[in-house]
Amino acid sequence: MRRRDFLAAVPAAAALGAPVAGAPLSLWYTKPAEKWTDALPVGNGRLGAMVFGGIAEERLQLNEDTLWSGHPREWNNPDAKQHLAEVRRLVLDEEDYQAADRLCQKMQGPYNQSYLPLGNLRLTFEGVNAATAYRRDLDLETAIARVTFRAGDAEFTREVFASAPDQVIVVHLTSSKPGRLTFTVALDSPVRSKPEPSGNDGLRLFGKAPAHVEPNYVRSDNPIVYDDAEGKGMRFEARVRAVAQGGTARVEGDRLRIEGANSVTLLLAGATGFRGSNRMPDTPAAEVSAACVNSLRAAAARPYAELRRRHIGDYQKLFKRVSIDLGGGSGLPTDERLANFKSNPDPALLALYFQYGRYLLIASSRPGTQPANLQGIWSEEMRPPWSSNYTVNINTQMNYWPAETCNLSECHQPLFDLIAGVARNGTKTAAVNYGARGWVSHHNVDLWRQSAPVGNYGGGSPTWANWQMSGPWFCEHLWERFLFTRDLAFLRERAYPIMKGAAEFCLDWLIEDKQGRLTTCPSVSTENVFKAPNGKNAQVSAGCTMDMALMRELFANSIEAARTLGVDEEFRTRLEKAKSRLVPYQIGKYGQLQEWSKDFEESEPGHRHMSHMYGLYPGAEITPRRTPELAQAARVSLERRLKAGGAYTGWSRAWAIGFWARLGDGDRAHESLGMLMLHSTGPNLFDTHPAGSGWIFQIDGNFGAAAALAEMLVQSHDGAIEFLPALPKTWPRGSVTGIRARGGVELDLEWDGGRARKATLRARLSGEHRLRAPKGQKIASVGGLAIKEQQDGSVLVQLQAGRTYQIAFA
């Protein structure tokens, strides 16, 4: 059933925001969540909650995106420089790769800090023990989590949302029978804190974050350090206020009791002492309290219907930009649809997963907030996996792959803010650690914008700690924003200065190898290991393929940016000369794209990272049309990786989907989408990562798969807007609206029988565009414009800003 037909059949109740069974944009279940990874997430970019949907007891696990351990500190290592020359000699002379690994560990700094949970809002109900007709859901159309059930002769409903315009989490409870709502409210937190009354109708939870939390790489038992004497931990506070219709609300000790109410609205606010990544988090407690009090006072002045309306209106301005229909559909609960995916690979579930990725980005990344971390904004542990930090050797970047293509450009902004902070700190790291100009950052970043290699001065594996290339990868996001928007002010004032600084570091970081080429050393292929000539595992070498790909891309983009702005002619010349001397892509003995500059054997052929194929995706240097030999070599590398068991994490599988899409192989991309659903997706559609006998949540796979699915339908990285470049046979009919292409174009597309039927282009900017029809088709007309047919089958058209064009396919 197509979406427009479905909506025509929806009962009037759904039009008011109550989703029905089988609604295409609803995750729904017939029982409460048993554990945190079954709960449903809501968020406004800053405040987040996981909603369990309990019957007699309800729990909302809470987060605030600036609540981290630690504070700004010195993380650079002045001893690093003294080891650099010897590391390079050991590698370039191929004398002792293992000794180079050990020396690199001496170039590391301290571990970074940990993202912390704010606490829990707990509701305990009286007279509600058994329930029938139970349903919990998350409606992606409204960003509202809802629980409904029947107990006795009454129907109970809860709605939960995180409001961006009002900066509170709202819980609204109703009963079909008057006076049936009797329950207690409590606040607690695993972070050291204390609850107390707040007036007659509210509670306050206040505390202080630890000054240091040992990061969770191996489930460390090291102590959590509260440095009360020096006052270095961050203050935080959460407050809840009840607005009851009928009945009474009163404080009893450290709890709030509601008796005999008809409906209740709980308003929850949270705040911390964060003052910026370069300042100590020493905001006075009174100011932290005032932030919560002011938010609650303003929200309480609005009736629930207005809070709800403001929330939905704000959210839908972003979410409603894109729709997708891949066919299929099911009236089953989401967890059952997921369990049945192998026997019924329902394309409607994939469409839901795509929109869920967009929902999660809106919920975890808004202008003015912190960027989405390893778990977005949702984390319940004091030591979450990998500190729930910003792992910037792919995971943070992957979080933002859908931002531009999936029409959520505003949600990209927090990443740019983080990049600016890291670049500022990375200027000192480049000088202190390496004696270089420009700025550098490594593989881990926290709230305080740590830029140095982590590892506690020797405990980190060089394959992740001693990787200096996150700066160039960050810059790819800045350039992509410009390509999509052509915003010259953004390029001039924000992007280019940061890009230039990263390029300056890269120029200083490059050295000559024995063939006179420019290379990097030490160099690692992120988190992967090779067999050295002595047969032993080694990590550090020179000129890994990803290093060279990132530098070529950064240099090319910086040259084009400077040319566009009409600046830095001499610097452009330096970059052009250096770019021409970089170690080139190489094809190895198996016909694969080499991962290292030498054709080393892989120690782990099925490794999760596939960094040497960066130039294929998300980069654009390798394409089947322009570089067919390299594209084929990348395909061989991908096939070898997957055959050996690679892509066993959700984010790695999402990357594989993107690779297949760029190779134009829709059926293999769909196969990997199926693997993602079957092996790397939880009941609440959270992306999963294997951990021991179970799994943990990482949000990057959600975002990466959403972006890759968009790449299957539309691509614009290879000099043309290409329609249906990787359409699988399993999606013969469908449509998508609101997808964005580079050059300021937004488009809609419909297809049937595996062939494009029609498309609509909306031009935000004037300019010439190349359009490419799906294989076996031609573009017959573009809104009455004169079209210039090209030898490769594409057409050139001149679009005018503000106009809409209908495309017909032959």
PDB file of all heavy atoms in Angstrom, residues 377-406:
ATOM      1  N   ILE A 377      22.818  10.569  21.976  1.00  0.00           N
ATOM      2  CA  ILE A 377      22.816  11.200  23.301  1.00  0.00           C
ATOM      3  C   ILE A 377      22.309  10.232  24.366  1.00  0.00           C
ATOM      4  O   ILE A 377      22.087  10.637  25.500  1.00  0.00           O
ATOM      5  CB  ILE A 377      21.940  12.481  23.348  1.00  0.00           C
ATOM      6  CG1 ILE A 377      20.546  12.224  22.791  1.00  0.00           C
ATOM      7  CG2 ILE A 377      22.611  13.636  22.645  1.00  0.00           C
ATOM      8  CD1 ILE A 377      19.590  13.395  22.981  1.00  0.00           C
ATOM      9  N   TRP A 378      22.134   8.964  24.024  1.00  0.00           N
ATOM     10  CA  TRP A 378      21.474   8.011  24.921  1.00  0.00           C
ATOM     11  C   TRP A 378      22.502   7.049  25.509  1.00  0.00           C
ATOM     12  O   TRP A 378      23.095   6.232  24.804  1.00  0.00           O
ATOM     13  CB  TRP A 378      20.403   7.251  24.150  1.00  0.00           C
ATOM     14  CG  TRP A 378      19.370   8.173  23.571  1.00  0.00           C
ATOM     15  CD1 TRP A 378      18.315   8.735  24.220  1.00  0.00           C
ATOM     16  CD2 TRP A 378      19.313   8.661  22.217  1.00  0.00           C
ATOM     17  NE1 TRP A 378      17.596   9.538  23.364  1.00  0.00           N
ATOM     18  CE2 TRP A 378      18.179   9.516  22.136  1.00  0.00           C
ATOM     19  CE3 TRP A 378      20.103   8.467  21.082  1.00  0.00           C
ATOM     20  CZ2 TRP A 378      17.831  10.171  20.948  1.00  0.00           C
ATOM     21  CZ3 TRP A 378      19.753   9.119  19.906  1.00  0.00           C
ATOM     22  CH2 TRP A 378      18.622   9.962  19.847  1.00  0.00           C
ATOM     23  N   SER A 379      22.720   7.127  26.822  1.00  0.00           N
ATOM     24  CA  SER A 379      23.704   6.268  27.479  1.00  0.00           C
ATOM     25  C   SER A 379      23.336   6.155  28.951  1.00  0.00           C
ATOM     26  O   SER A 379      23.033   7.161  29.593  1.00  0.00           O
ATOM     27  CB  SER A 379      25.111   6.854  27.328  1.00  0.00           C
ATOM     28  OG  SER A 379      26.056   6.062  27.995  1.00  0.00           O
ATOM     29  N   GLU A 380      23.390   4.934  29.499  1.00  0.00           N
ATOM     30  CA  GLU A 380      22.990   4.744  30.898  1.00  0.00           C
ATOM     31  C   GLU A 380      24.158   4.403  31.816  1.00  0.00           C
ATOM     32  O   GLU A 380      23.978   4.332  33.032  1.00  0.00           O
ATOM     33  CB  GLU A 380      21.939   3.641  30.996  1.00  0.00           C
ATOM     34  CG  GLU A 380      22.445   2.242  30.709  1.00  0.00           C
ATOM     35  CD  GLU A 380      21.455   1.153  31.097  1.00  0.00           C
ATOM     36  OE1 GLU A 380      20.505   1.451  31.847  1.00  0.00           O
ATOM     37  OE2 GLU A 380      21.642   0.009  30.656  1.00  0.00           O
ATOM     38  N   GLU A 381      25.352   4.213  31.281  1.00  0.00           N
ATOM     39  CA  GLU A 381      26.460   3.693  32.080  1.00  0.00           C
ATOM     40  C   GLU A 381      27.450   4.781  32.486  1.00  0.00           C
ATOM     41  O   GLU A 381      27.689   5.728  31.746  1.00  0.00           O
ATOM     42  CB  GLU A 381      27.207   2.612  31.304  1.00  0.00           C
ATOM     43  CG  GLU A 381      26.361   1.403  30.957  1.00  0.00           C
ATOM     44  CD  GLU A 381      27.164   0.344  30.225  1.00  0.00           C
ATOM     45  OE1 GLU A 381      28.128  -0.169  30.804  1.00  0.00           O
ATOM     46  OE2 GLU A 381      26.836   0.051  29.061  1.00  0.00           O
ATOM     47  N   MET A 382      28.038   4.591  33.658  1.00  0.00           N
ATOM     48  CA  MET A 382      29.118   5.485  34.091  1.00  0.00           C
ATOM     49  C   MET A 382      30.359   5.283  33.228  1.00  0.00           C
ATOM     50  O   MET A 382      31.114   6.208  32.983  1.00  0.00           O
ATOM     51  CB  MET A 382      29.461   5.218  35.554  1.00  0.00           C
ATOM     52  CG  MET A 382      28.405   5.684  36.526  1.00  0.00           C
ATOM     53  SD  MET A 382      28.273   7.486  36.583  1.00  0.00           S
ATOM     54  CE  MET A 382      29.794   7.925  37.434  1.00  0.00           C
ATOM     55  N   ARG A 383      30.568   4.045  32.811  1.00  0.00           N
ATOM     56  CA  ARG A 383      31.655   3.745  31.874  1.00  0.00           C
ATOM     57  C   ARG A 383      31.040   3.128  30.621  1.00  0.00           C
ATOM     58  O   ARG A 383      31.108   1.918  30.431  1.00  0.00           O
ATOM     59  CB  ARG A 383      32.675   2.777  32.477  1.00  0.00           C
ATOM     60  CG  ARG A 383      33.582   3.369  33.534  1.00  0.00           C
ATOM     61  CD  ARG A 383      34.770   2.425  33.724  1.00  0.00           C
ATOM     62  NE  ARG A 383      35.553   2.778  34.882  1.00  0.00           N
ATOM     63  CZ  ARG A 383      35.353   2.283  36.103  1.00  0.00           C
ATOM     64  NH1 ARG A 383      34.400   1.411  36.303  1.00  0.00           N
ATOM     65  NH2 ARG A 383      36.118   2.635  37.102  1.00  0.00           N
ATOM     66  N   PRO A 384      30.440   3.913  29.791  1.00  0.00           N
ATOM     67  CA  PRO A 384      29.852   3.336  28.579  1.00  0.00           C
ATOM     68  C   PRO A 384      30.931   2.794  27.662  1.00  0.00           C
ATOM     69  O   PRO A 384      32.107   3.180  27.769  1.00  0.00           O
ATOM     70  CB  PRO A 384      29.112   4.512  27.941  1.00  0.00           C
ATOM     71  CG  PRO A 384      29.794   5.718  28.468  1.00  0.00           C
ATOM     72  CD  PRO A 384      30.271   5.368  29.849  1.00  0.00           C
ATOM     73  N   PRO A 385      30.592   1.900  26.756  1.00  0.00           N
ATOM     74  CA  PRO A 385      31.595   1.362  25.828  1.00  0.00           C
ATOM     75  C   PRO A 385      32.330   2.485  25.095  1.00  0.00           C
ATOM     76  O   PRO A 385      31.704   3.390  24.544  1.00  0.00           O
ATOM     77  CB  PRO A 385      30.767   0.502  24.870  1.00  0.00           C
ATOM     78  CG  PRO A 385      29.552   0.128  25.662  1.00  0.00           C
ATOM     79  CD  PRO A 385      29.261   1.301  26.550  1.00  0.00           C
ATOM     80  N   TRP A 386      33.658   2.393  25.109  1.00  0.00           N
ATOM     81  CA  TRP A 386      34.516   3.392  24.466  1.00  0.00           C
ATOM     82  C   TRP A 386      34.179   4.810  24.929  1.00  0.00           C
ATOM     83  O   TRP A 386      34.329   5.772  24.190  1.00  0.00           O
ATOM     84  CB  TRP A 386      34.454   3.271  22.942  1.00  0.00           C
ATOM     85  CG  TRP A 386      34.918   1.929  22.484  1.00  0.00           C
ATOM     86  CD1 TRP A 386      36.204   1.481  22.425  1.00  0.00           C
ATOM     87  CD2 TRP A 386      34.096   0.832  22.081  1.00  0.00           C
ATOM     88  NE1 TRP A 386      36.237   0.171  22.011  1.00  0.00           N
ATOM     89  CE2 TRP A 386      34.962  -0.251  21.780  1.00  0.00           C
ATOM     90  CE3 TRP A 386      32.719   0.661  21.936  1.00  0.00           C
ATOM     91  CZ2 TRP A 386      34.485  -1.483  21.351  1.00  0.00           C
ATOM     92  CZ3 TRP A 386      32.247  -0.566  21.504  1.00  0.00           C
ATOM     93  CH2 TRP A 386      33.129  -1.623  21.223  1.00  0.00           C
ATOM     94  N   SER A 387      33.709   4.918  26.178  1.00  0.00           N
ATOM     95  CA  SER A 387      33.383   6.187  26.816  1.00  0.00           C
ATOM     96  C   SER A 387      32.227   6.924  26.150  1.00  0.00           C
ATOM     97  O   SER A 387      31.939   8.054  26.496  1.00  0.00           O
ATOM     98  CB  SER A 387      34.611   7.117  26.860  1.00  0.00           C
ATOM     99  OG  SER A 387      35.672   6.507  27.546  1.00  0.00           O
ATOM    100  N   SER A 388      31.572   6.286  25.184  1.00  0.00           N
ATOM    101  CA  SER A 388      30.528   6.956  24.386  1.00  0.00           C
ATOM    102  C   SER A 388      31.042   8.310  23.907  1.00  0.00           C
ATOM    103  O   SER A 388      30.334   9.316  23.935  1.00  0.00           O
ATOM    104  CB  SER A 388      29.229   7.129  25.190  1.00  0.00           C
ATOM    105  OG  SER A 388      28.166   7.468  24.325  1.00  0.00           O
ATOM    106  N   ASN A 389      32.287   8.286  23.429  1.00  0.00           N
ATOM    107  CA  ASN A 389      32.918   9.548  23.046  1.00  0.00           C
ATOM    108  C   ASN A 389      32.766   9.790  21.544  1.00  0.00           C
ATOM    109  O   ASN A 389      31.902   9.228  20.886  1.00  0.00           O
ATOM    110  CB  ASN A 389      34.380   9.564  23.487  1.00  0.00           C
ATOM    111  CG  ASN A 389      35.198   8.463  22.828  1.00  0.00           C
ATOM    112  OD1 ASN A 389      34.809   7.892  21.810  1.00  0.00           O
ATOM    113  ND2 ASN A 389      36.340   8.150  23.405  1.00  0.00           N
ATOM    114  N   TYR A 390      33.618  10.640  21.005  1.00  0.00           N
ATOM    115  CA  TYR A 390      33.666  10.886  19.570  1.00  0.00           C
ATOM    116  C   TYR A 390      34.862  10.124  19.014  1.00  0.00           C
ATOM    117  O   TYR A 390      36.013  10.563  19.153  1.00  0.00           O
ATOM    118  CB  TYR A 390      33.783  12.381  19.287  1.00  0.00           C
ATOM    119  CG  TYR A 390      32.662  13.172  19.923  1.00  0.00           C
ATOM    120  CD1 TYR A 390      32.875  13.910  21.088  1.00  0.00           C
ATOM    121  CD2 TYR A 390      31.389  13.144  19.381  1.00  0.00           C
ATOM    122  CE1 TYR A 390      31.839  14.604  21.679  1.00  0.00           C
ATOM    123  CE2 TYR A 390      30.345  13.843  19.973  1.00  0.00           C
ATOM    124  CZ  TYR A 390      30.582  14.573  21.122  1.00  0.00           C
ATOM    125  OH  TYR A 390      29.558  15.253  21.709  1.00  0.00           O
ATOM    126  N   THR A 391      34.603   8.961  18.441  1.00  0.00           N
ATOM    127  CA  THR A 391      35.662   8.167  17.842  1.00  0.00           C
ATOM    128  C   THR A 391      35.761   8.593  16.384  1.00  0.00           C
ATOM    129  O   THR A 391      34.877   8.293  15.574  1.00  0.00           O
ATOM    130  CB  THR A 391      35.368   6.666  17.973  1.00  0.00           C
ATOM    131  OG1 THR A 391      35.128   6.358  19.347  1.00  0.00           O
ATOM    132  CG2 THR A 391      36.547   5.845  17.481  1.00  0.00           C
ATOM    133  N   VAL A 392      36.836   9.320  16.065  1.00  0.00           N
ATOM    134  CA  VAL A 392      36.855  10.084  14.822  1.00  0.00           C
ATOM    135  C   VAL A 392      37.743   9.449  13.756  1.00  0.00           C
ATOM    136  O   VAL A 392      38.205  10.134  12.837  1.00  0.00           O
ATOM    137  CB  VAL A 392      37.262  11.554  15.091  1.00  0.00           C
ATOM    138  CG1 VAL A 392      36.203  12.236  15.940  1.00  0.00           C
ATOM    139  CG2 VAL A 392      38.621  11.656  15.766  1.00  0.00           C
ATOM    140  N   ASN A 393      37.963   8.118  13.869  1.00  0.00           N
ATOM    141  CA  ASN A 393      38.611   7.423  12.755  1.00  0.00           C
ATOM    142  C   ASN A 393      37.584   6.744  11.860  1.00  0.00           C
ATOM    143  O   ASN A 393      37.936   5.991  10.982  1.00  0.00           O
ATOM    144  CB  ASN A 393      39.678   6.438  13.237  1.00  0.00           C
ATOM    145  CG  ASN A 393      39.116   5.296  14.061  1.00  0.00           C
ATOM    146  OD1 ASN A 393      37.905   5.161  14.231  1.00  0.00           O
ATOM    147  ND2 ASN A 393      39.999   4.466  14.591  1.00  0.00           N
ATOM    148  N   ILE A 394      36.315   6.988  12.094  1.00  0.00           N
ATOM    149  CA  ILE A 394      35.195   6.778  11.175  1.00  0.00           C
ATOM    150  C   ILE A 394      33.862   7.053  11.849  1.00  0.00           C
ATOM    151  O   ILE A 394      32.949   7.606  11.236  1.00  0.00           O
ATOM    152  CB  ILE A 394      35.146   5.358  10.556  1.00  0.00           C
ATOM    153  CG1 ILE A 394      34.004   5.281   9.547  1.00  0.00           C
ATOM    154  CG2 ILE A 394      34.995   4.277  11.616  1.00  0.00           C
ATOM    155  CD1 ILE A 394      33.922   4.032   8.735  1.00  0.00           C
ATOM    156  N   ASN A 395      33.706   6.681  13.119  1.00  0.00           N
ATOM    157  CA  ASN A 395      32.376   6.582  13.708  1.00  0.00           C
ATOM    158  C   ASN A 395      31.660   7.931  13.792  1.00  0.00           C
ATOM    159  O   ASN A 395      30.478   8.037  13.451  1.00  0.00           O
ATOM    160  CB  ASN A 395      32.470   5.927  15.081  1.00  0.00           C
ATOM    161  CG  ASN A 395      33.289   4.650  15.035  1.00  0.00           C
ATOM    162  OD1 ASN A 395      34.486   4.676  15.298  1.00  0.00           O
ATOM    163  ND2 ASN A 395      32.670   3.540  14.665  1.00  0.00           N
ATOM    164  N   THR A 396      32.350   8.965  14.261  1.00  0.00           N
ATOM    165  CA  THR A 396      31.717  10.288  14.328  1.00  0.00           C
ATOM    166  C   THR A 396      31.392  10.802  12.938  1.00  0.00           C
ATOM    167  O   THR A 396      30.310  11.360  12.701  1.00  0.00           O
ATOM    168  CB  THR A 396      32.634  11.273  15.067  1.00  0.00           C
ATOM    169  OG1 THR A 396      32.871  10.787  16.395  1.00  0.00           O
ATOM    170  CG2 THR A 396      32.003  12.654  15.141  1.00  0.00           C
ATOM    171  N   GLN A 397      32.332  10.620  12.008  1.00  0.00           N
ATOM    172  CA  GLN A 397      32.063  11.077  10.645  1.00  0.00           C
ATOM    173  C   GLN A 397      30.869  10.348  10.049  1.00  0.00           C
ATOM    174  O   GLN A 397      30.020  10.949   9.385  1.00  0.00           O
ATOM    175  CB  GLN A 397      33.300  10.879   9.767  1.00  0.00           C
ATOM    176  CG  GLN A 397      34.467  11.801  10.117  1.00  0.00           C
ATOM    177  CD  GLN A 397      35.408  11.211  11.148  1.00  0.00           C
ATOM    178  OE1 GLN A 397      35.040  10.327  11.919  1.00  0.00           O
ATOM    179  NE2 GLN A 397      36.640  11.690  11.177  1.00  0.00           N
ATOM    180  N   MET A 398      30.778   9.034  10.279  1.00  0.00           N
ATOM    181  CA  MET A 398      29.652   8.263   9.761  1.00  0.00           C
ATOM    182  C   MET A 398      28.325   8.776  10.307  1.00  0.00           C
ATOM    183  O   MET A 398      27.303   8.759   9.606  1.00  0.00           O
ATOM    184  CB  MET A 398      29.825   6.784  10.097  1.00  0.00           C
ATOM    185  CG  MET A 398      28.731   5.899   9.514  1.00  0.00           C
ATOM    186  SD  MET A 398      28.921   4.141   9.875  1.00  0.00           S
ATOM    187  CE  MET A 398      30.175   3.673   8.693  1.00  0.00           C
ATOM    188  N   ASN A 399      28.330   9.251  11.544  1.00  0.00           N
ATOM    189  CA  ASN A 399      27.109   9.805  12.115  1.00  0.00           C
ATOM    190  C   ASN A 399      26.508  10.891  11.231  1.00  0.00           C
ATOM    191  O   ASN A 399      25.289  11.111  11.234  1.00  0.00           O
ATOM    192  CB  ASN A 399      27.380  10.396  13.496  1.00  0.00           C
ATOM    193  CG  ASN A 399      27.552   9.353  14.580  1.00  0.00           C
ATOM    194  OD1 ASN A 399      27.464   8.157  14.334  1.00  0.00           O
ATOM    195  ND2 ASN A 399      27.829   9.804  15.794  1.00  0.00           N
ATOM    196  N   TYR A 400      27.359  11.577  10.489  1.00  0.00           N
ATOM    197  CA  TYR A 400      26.905  12.734   9.716  1.00  0.00           C
ATOM    198  C   TYR A 400      26.875  12.483   8.211  1.00  0.00           C
ATOM    199  O   TYR A 400      26.613  13.407   7.445  1.00  0.00           O
ATOM    200  CB  TYR A 400      27.750  13.959  10.079  1.00  0.00           C
ATOM    201  CG  TYR A 400      27.388  14.435  11.464  1.00  0.00           C
ATOM    202  CD1 TYR A 400      28.039  13.939  12.591  1.00  0.00           C
ATOM    203  CD2 TYR A 400      26.328  15.303  11.654  1.00  0.00           C
ATOM    204  CE1 TYR A 400      27.654  14.317  13.866  1.00  0.00           C
ATOM    205  CE2 TYR A 400      25.934  15.698  12.925  1.00  0.00           C
ATOM    206  CZ  TYR A 400      26.599  15.201  14.019  1.00  0.00           C
ATOM    207  OH  TYR A 400      26.196  15.581  15.283  1.00  0.00           O
ATOM    208  N   TRP A 401      27.059  11.250   7.788  1.00  0.00           N
ATOM    209  CA  TRP A 401      26.928  10.955   6.360  1.00  0.00           C
ATOM    210  C   TRP A 401      25.538  11.286   5.821  1.00  0.00           C
ATOM    211  O   TRP A 401      25.421  11.748   4.680  1.00  0.00           O
ATOM    212  CB  TRP A 401      27.273   9.491   6.089  1.00  0.00           C
ATOM    213  CG  TRP A 401      28.743   9.197   6.164  1.00  0.00           C
ATOM    214  CD1 TRP A 401      29.762  10.083   6.370  1.00  0.00           C
ATOM    215  CD2 TRP A 401      29.364   7.913   6.037  1.00  0.00           C
ATOM    216  NE1 TRP A 401      30.973   9.441   6.385  1.00  0.00           N
ATOM    217  CE2 TRP A 401      30.763   8.110   6.187  1.00  0.00           C
ATOM    218  CE3 TRP A 401      28.879   6.629   5.819  1.00  0.00           C
ATOM    219  CZ2 TRP A 401      31.675   7.050   6.108  1.00  0.00           C
ATOM    220  CZ3 TRP A 401      29.793   5.580   5.757  1.00  0.00           C
ATOM    221  CH2 TRP A 401      31.165   5.776   5.894  1.00  0.00           C
ATOM    222  N   PRO A 402      24.456  11.088   6.582  1.00  0.00           N
ATOM    223  CA  PRO A 402      23.146  11.412   5.994  1.00  0.00           C
ATOM    224  C   PRO A 402      22.742  12.876   6.089  1.00  0.00           C
ATOM    225  O   PRO A 402      21.694  13.250   5.552  1.00  0.00           O
ATOM    226  CB  PRO A 402      22.184  10.542   6.814  1.00  0.00           C
ATOM    227  CG  PRO A 402      22.838  10.384   8.140  1.00  0.00           C
ATOM    228  CD  PRO A 402      24.323  10.386   7.869  1.00  0.00           C
ATOM    229  N   ALA A 403      23.537  13.712   6.740  1.00  0.00           N
ATOM    230  CA  ALA A 403      23.076  15.073   7.039  1.00  0.00           C
ATOM    231  C   ALA A 403      22.703  15.857   5.787  1.00  0.00           C
ATOM    232  O   ALA A 403      21.638  16.479   5.730  1.00  0.00           O
ATOM    233  CB  ALA A 403      24.139  15.817   7.844  1.00  0.00           C
ATOM    234  N   GLU A 404      23.564  15.838   4.770  1.00  0.00           N
ATOM    235  CA  GLU A 404      23.299  16.646   3.580  1.00  0.00           C
ATOM    236  C   GLU A 404      22.372  15.924   2.601  1.00  0.00           C
ATOM    237  O   GLU A 404      21.380  16.487   2.147  1.00  0.00           O
ATOM    238  CB  GLU A 404      24.614  17.031   2.898  1.00  0.00           C
ATOM    239  CG  GLU A 404      25.581  17.817   3.787  1.00  0.00           C
ATOM    240  CD  GLU A 404      25.030  19.165   4.236  1.00  0.00           C
ATOM    241  OE1 GLU A 404      24.173  19.734   3.523  1.00  0.00           O
ATOM    242  OE2 GLU A 404      25.442  19.644   5.310  1.00  0.00           O
ATOM    243  N   THR A 405      22.684  14.676   2.261  1.00  0.00           N
ATOM    244  CA  THR A 405      21.860  13.967   1.275  1.00  0.00           C
ATOM    245  C   THR A 405      20.430  13.788   1.762  1.00  0.00           C
ATOM    246  O   THR A 405      19.487  13.851   0.974  1.00  0.00           O
ATOM    247  CB  THR A 405      22.453  12.587   0.946  1.00  0.00           C
ATOM    248  OG1 THR A 405      22.642  11.859   2.153  1.00  0.00           O
ATOM    249  CG2 THR A 405      23.772  12.714   0.226  1.00  0.00           C
ATOM    250  N   CYS A 406      20.253  13.572   3.056  1.00  0.00           N
ATOM    251  CA  CYS A 406      18.928  13.294   3.608  1.00  0.00           C
ATOM    252  C   CYS A 406      18.243  14.541   4.142  1.00  0.00           C
ATOM    253  O   CYS A 406      17.323  14.461   4.957  1.00  0.00           O
ATOM    254  CB  CYS A 406      19.022  12.210   4.678  1.00  0.00           C
ATOM    255  SG  CYS A 406      19.584  10.624   4.027  1.00  0.00           S
TER     256      CYS A 406
END
